[in-house]
Amino acid sequence: MDPYSPEQWQAINRLGHTVDQALQQGEVQLTMGGEPTYVSAQNPQDPQWRYAALGVEKRQRAGQLLQRLQHRLALTGSLRHHGLGKLYPGEATPRWALGCFWREDGEPLWRNPAGLAQDGKSYGHTWEQAHAFMKELANCLALPQGAILTAWEPETAAQPVGYVVPLLTVQSVEGEPYWASCRWQPWGETGHLTVLPGDSPLGMRLPLGDLPMAAALWPEAHLDLHSDPIRPQRPGAWAPDNSIRLALCVEVRQGTVQVFLPPIASARSFVDVVTALEATAESLDIPIHLEGYGPPGNQGIIGFQLTPDPGVLEVNIHPARTWGELVGLHQALDQEAQACGLISHRYGGDGRPLGTGGGAHITLGGDRPDTSPLLRRPDLLRSLITYWQHHPSLSYLFAGEYIGPTSQSPRPDEGRADTLYELEVAFLSLTPRQPVPPAIVDRLLGPLLVDGTGNTHRAALCIDKLYPQANPQMQLGLLEFRGFEMPATTGLRLVQMLLVRSLVAWFWQQPYTHPLRRWGPDLRDRYRLPYHLEQDFAQVQRDLAGAGFPLEADWFLPFWQRRMPCYGQISLLDNPARQLELRAALEPWPVVGDAAGGGTSRPVDNSLERIQVRLTGAIGDPPQRDQLAKRYAVLCNGHRLPLRSTGRVGEYVAAVRFRARAAAPGDHGAIAPHAPLTFAVIDTWQQRWLGGAIYHVHDRQGHPYPDFPSTPEAAVARFRDRCEPLSAAPTPQPLPPLVLHPETPWTLDLRLSTARSPH
């Protein structure tokens, strides 16, 4: 499976089944889901595929992908649902969420596909047909016809907007469930229901705030999926006036009858109202779109959803139990996305290969919250948190460009100074094999696994869907790994999941209870360099091999090549085996302070870059690890880099941090860009220039690229232009001294060396 050879994929697949056996023997009951993201192959530079959440093409492709996946996965008896997504600050209405849902027990949720309207097709339906549909539906549910309200636009239009019926499952004193409605005063019978302005679905425009408060709101009956179907045993049942604030709505938009479902708390009620809707659609031969709220979670109805996010289309894929299920599901997803004109990669203006920018989060859990391995064995959660904190490579190798304390997935040690100490206190209650109530797990870890603003959703290991006390609907038993960028191919994404599954299998057998590590400046300096991240990840591989789950190093080469690509490599004059390599290193993007708020994304300063410089074949100094080079010097724009030995003979590594482009706005706006960078290698014993190169941020004339590369070949050509070898240059006399900063012993920060005063 691309990019792996058949032999490599066979080895990957074998390990996947080995991990499955370990999980089954341990009765882990693990399920694994994800949130892959895609962009358009034809229009990747359109705002909806760069930074805007919504767009016409995005909605069209989502509709196509929904139907293709429903057919590809052979989801007989499934229900397509055009629902409501999240409402974000600065947005007037919730985003859309296209879903496909089905029953876990195999019983059909929707039997007749012809009863569901095709996405984007107009059927020429009229408001009279909408009225007829609502009347027939009321009969099907044994609701009084007087419960149907006609909704009108403000200032009265020539025809109704649609029809509304308050609806709730209630329970009689004998314990029998039935459908009930109520009169909404002052709009019932003789009143005039005028909806709020806007173009949202009718169910989102009801002026419920204008209803007088009832003596008490009627409680909804909570019915298990396998309860007996709700029988319309009490025709014409009325609840007290204004006591039901949930309403089913029917209207016509774009020539198609749209049915808006209110939030329904129990699976039995959801199934039965959907059954009534299907019977009505079939009886009147009126295909419908279902919209509004989806089915309740964790009650035997599962599915996937497609939602818009800034710059991407996100697929919240349903969880899989086994490795074979994961492979089949993600192969199908990527193939159908490609058939819809969607891809999982893009290119920067300089030709650098990038992910979609939307991430591809990985989730762990169980079939239900009470079977989640993270709640049955909270020490598993402790092991994962600790091991991730011990290995920066797990946080940064698979991440996108946006990392660091203010990113969407900060590590716990990138936040409050006391977080590690407080986590260790919390861990005292999460000892192996000791049962801990889910509520206690949330109270222990919820305040600590957050970003700098206290947001539990923006954390590298996110538990806002584990068992939050303040939000019972989100008590799903899930752990979300947010630090995963969308890989370019299915095979790469599956290898990421295999890595996580292997760690779960290991920690289930042997909990990881070591103390947390205080990295200090190393996390911001040493572990921004590819070399040290590679060494760190090699230890992860050794640990897993020791646990019986060997992951080969070459399986992860594509991740290194994309995340930290090589800009160029030159041979030096005195010895072709002596080489200078320039490679991308990591640089966090800080959120811009005091920026205008109210939007759906946060502005960041991406004006800084960091480059790793690696010198090999430099014989002369003893190979003592971390010792500064004595014979050889590497200069960048005339300033000396702190070359340090890797412990291998003749190999040294350092980094340079610099302003690549003007910051508008950003930190230290008075510091001008340092690019292009000129590198020189000097033999200090012989006072001889051995070679060098120029690193270009823009094209070789210093001009920013006016557009993005349109083809992979154009991207490769631009990227190769980043590094320009030099054939000759003078040796500076005298050589500049090495100036070290205790916070960055591995890095030359050109801002410190060349900062210019604004005066």
Side-chain angles (χ1 to χ4, degrees):
M1 186 181 296
D2 188 40
Y4 300 114
S5 67
E7 294 75 20
Q8 285 178 311
W9 181 246
Q10 288 176 6
I12 293 169
N13 212 29
R14 281 196 301 270
L15 180 57
H17 293 300
T18 298
V19 173
D20 267 9
Q21 292 174 1
L23 293 172
Q24 291 167 4
Q25 290 172 0
E27 298 181 352
V28 181
Q29 300 182 58
L30 176 71
T31 62
M32 179 174 271
E35 297 180 8
T37 54
Y38 299 91
V39 296
S40 170
Q42 286 75 30
N43 303 301
Q45 307 316 321
D46 190 279
Q48 64 187 310
W49 301 113
R50 291 189 58 203
Y51 54 82
L54 301 175
V56 174
E57 182 192 1
K58 188 180 294 186
R59 174 59 182 81
Q60 291 172 344
R61 295 192 187 278
Q64 296 167 7
L65 182 56
L66 178 70
Q67 296 195 58
R68 292 188 69 97
L69 280 175
Q70 184 186 31
H71 177 74
R72 171 68 179 270
L73 299 176
L75 299 173
T76 304
S78 59
L79 171 71
R80 290 197 308 276
H81 181 268
H82 301 72
L84 297 173
K86 295 180 181 179
L87 176 62
Y88 287 86
E91 295 182 346
T93 58
R95 298 175 187 171
W96 45 263
L98 308 188
C100 181
F101 301 100
W102 60 94
R103 293 177 54 158
E104 283 186 299
D105 59 9
E107 291 294 320
L109 185 56
W110 186 279
R111 298 174 183 273
N112 182 12
L116 293 174
Q118 296 182 26
D119 194 44
K121 178 179 178 180
S122 173
Y123 290 80
H125 292 157
T126 65
W127 64 270
E128 290 92 349
Q129 287 175 293
H131 192 201
F133 188 96
M134 181 63 97
K135 291 172 64 177
E136 180 66 19
L137 178 64
N139 288 333
C140 192
L141 297 174
L143 296 174
Q145 292 292 314
I148 300 174
L149 299 172
T150 303
W152 302 86
E153 289 284 3
E155 302 177 359
T156 309
Q159 62 188 37
V161 177
Y163 302 91
V164 179
V165 60
L167 183 66
L168 193 69
T169 309
V170 299
Q171 229 159 358
S172 68
V173 292
E174 296 83 10
E176 292 293 330
Y178 63 94
W179 293 106
S181 188
C182 74
R183 295 180 178 87
W184 277 358
Q185 300 297 348
W187 306 318
E189 296 184 1
T190 60
H192 196 70
L193 173 57
T194 301
V195 299
L196 301 173
D199 56 3
S200 299
L202 176 56
M204 299 298 296
R205 301 173 61 195
L206 300 177
L208 297 178
D210 294 343
L211 277 176
M213 287 302 297
L217 297 180
W218 267 37
E220 183 173 358
H222 288 265
L223 306 173
D224 182 81
L225 178 62
H226 300 291
S227 303
D228 291 335
I230 302 170
R231 306 288 182 185
Q233 296 175 351
R234 297 184 55 176
W238 287 100
D241 289 358
N242 303 328
S243 64
I244 297 175
R245 300 299 176 102
L246 303 178
L248 184 147
C249 305
V250 177
E251 64 178 318
V252 174
R253 292 198 316 276
Q254 289 86 46
T256 301
V257 169
Q258 313 276 346
V259 177
F260 183 97
L261 291 175
I264 299 175
S266 67
R268 180 76 263 167
S269 300
F270 185 88
V271 168
D272 285 359
V273 76
V274 164
T275 300
L277 288 168
E278 182 176 9
T280 303
E282 190 168 2
S283 172
L284 300 179
D285 192 22
I286 297 178
I288 62 172
H289 263 158
L290 281 182
E291 58 185 14
Y293 291 85
N298 291 319
Q299 296 188 39
I301 301 176
I302 60 173
F304 61 84
Q305 283 189 306
L306 287 72
T307 58
D309 231 22
V312 296
L313 175 64
E314 180 180 291
V315 181
N316 296 278
I317 201 67
H318 53 286
R321 296 177 180 86
T322 67
W323 172 251
E325 289 179 10
L326 274 176
V327 172
L329 178 58
H330 286 270
Q331 281 181 324
L333 173 59
D334 283 353
Q335 289 169 6
E336 297 306 324
Q338 186 176 6
C340 294
L342 297 167
I343 55 176
S344 54
H345 64 275
R346 59 188 175 91
Y347 297 98
D350 57 9
R352 179 172 175 173
L354 302 171
T356 60
H361 310 327
I362 294 174
T363 58
L364 304 181
D367 287 332
R368 301 182 309 277
D370 60 333
T371 64
S372 169
L374 299 155
L375 293 178
R376 289 164 44 226
R377 285 269 307 273
D379 64 278
L380 173 62
L381 182 58
R382 172 186 175 178
S383 296
L384 291 166
I385 294 170
T386 303
Y387 199 75
W388 237 257
Q389 194 272 334
H390 278 201
H391 292 284
S393 59
L394 294 175
S395 298
Y396 300 139
L397 171 59
F398 306 108
E401 294 180 289
Y402 187 17
I403 62 169
T406 63
S407 72
Q408 302 283 347
S409 57
R411 291 165 51 93
D413 46 16
E414 291 178 324
R416 283 169 33 190
D418 63 342
T419 296
L420 297 186
Y421 178 86
E422 298 299 334
L423 272 174
E424 287 175 335
V425 174
F427 285 169
L428 296 176
S429 301
L430 303 180
T431 56
R433 314 294 177 180
Q434 177 180 338
V436 179
I440 300 299
V441 176
D442 179 70
R443 291 175 184 173
L444 287 170
L445 300 177
L448 301 174
L449 298 180
V450 296
D451 73 352
T453 67
N455 188 331
T456 57
H457 187 63
R458 290 190 177 120
L461 275 69
C462 170
I463 63 168
D464 70 343
K465 299 182 186 70
L466 187 66
Y467 209 84
Q469 293 303 287
N471 191 353
Q473 291 185 343
M474 299 302 289
Q475 293 174 356
L476 306 176
L478 298 179
L479 171 67
E480 184 177 53
F481 294 83
R482 290 180 52 82
F484 284 90
E485 170 69 297
M486 181 67 179
T489 69
T490 317
L492 293 174
R493 188 158 75 253
L494 289 168
V495 164
Q496 288 179 333
M497 292 184 165
L498 180 57
L499 168 65
V500 176
R501 291 175 72 83
S502 300
L503 290 169
V504 170
W506 173 29
F507 297 146
W508 192 264
Q509 298 170 354
Q510 182 62 51
Y512 193 81
T513 58
H514 299 275
L516 298 173
R517 291 181 178 173
R518 272 63 177 177
W519 291 109
D522 274 355
L523 190 63
R524 302 183 300 273
D525 185 45
R526 179 194 293 258
Y527 289 106
R528 300 287 191 237
L529 276 63
Y531 173 82
H532 294 292
L533 291 172
E534 289 172 359
Q535 301 304 304
D536 178 67
F537 193 72
Q539 183 59 53
V540 173
Q541 293 174 282
R542 289 192 292 270
D543 288 345
L544 284 171
F549 309 116
L551 288 90
E552 300 296 332
D554 59 356
W555 299 352
F556 297 92
L557 285 177
F559 293 104
W560 296 107
Q561 292 166 352
R562 187 177 78 168
R563 186 69 184 94
M564 289 158 271
C566 177
Y567 292 132
Q569 195 172 45
I570 62 169
S571 297
L572 303 185
L573 297 178
D574 61 339
N575 186 344
R578 189 170 292 131
Q579 294 185 328
L580 179 73
E581 179 194 77
L582 304 181
R583 183 176 294 274
L586 304 182
E587 183 60 40
W589 294 353
V591 169
V592 176
D594 297 325
T600 59
S601 60
R602 300 182 294 178
V604 297
D605 177 7
N606 66 347
S607 65
L608 297 182
E609 288 188 15
R610 194 180 309 223
I611 292 178
Q612 174 182 278
V613 177
R614 187 166 70 107
L615 185 63
T616 56
I619 308 300
D621 299 332
Q624 297 181 13
R625 188 173 181 84
D626 295 357
Q627 177 176 297
L628 288 166
K630 297 179 180 178
R631 176 174 181 177
Y632 294 92
V634 174
L635 309 182
C636 177
N637 287 9
H639 301 276
R640 194 164 183 171
L641 273 67
L643 284 179
R644 293 181 180 272
S645 172
T646 66
R648 298 175 182 171
V649 176
E651 183 179 60
Y652 297 89
V653 169
V656 57
R657 188 185 192 198
F658 64 102
R659 171 139 286 156
R661 57 195 66 84
D667 296 339
H668 311 296
I671 300 178
H674 303 108
L677 303 184
T678 300
F679 292 91
V681 182
I682 308 296
D683 183 339
T684 64
W685 291 3
Q686 299 183 9
Q687 293 296 303
R688 183 184 176 191
W689 184 90
L690 299 179
I694 300 176
Y695 170 79
H696 298 274
V697 171
H698 306 300
D699 66 21
R700 293 197 176 184
Q701 288 70 46
H703 303 136
Y705 292 103
D707 54 12
F708 291 84
S710 57
T711 64
E713 294 75 18
V716 170
R718 285 190 188 183
F719 190 79
R720 286 175 176 170
D721 272 352
R722 302 295 292 277
C723 184
E724 178 185 1
L726 294 177
S727 58
T731 302
Q733 296 291 342
L735 286 176
L738 176 61
V739 180
L740 296 175
H741 192 284
E743 290 287 318
T744 57
W746 291 81
T747 303
L748 165 69
D749 191 334
L750 287 181
R751 297 176 305 163
L752 295 176
S753 303
T754 62
R756 296 185 298 185
S757 170
H759 302 295

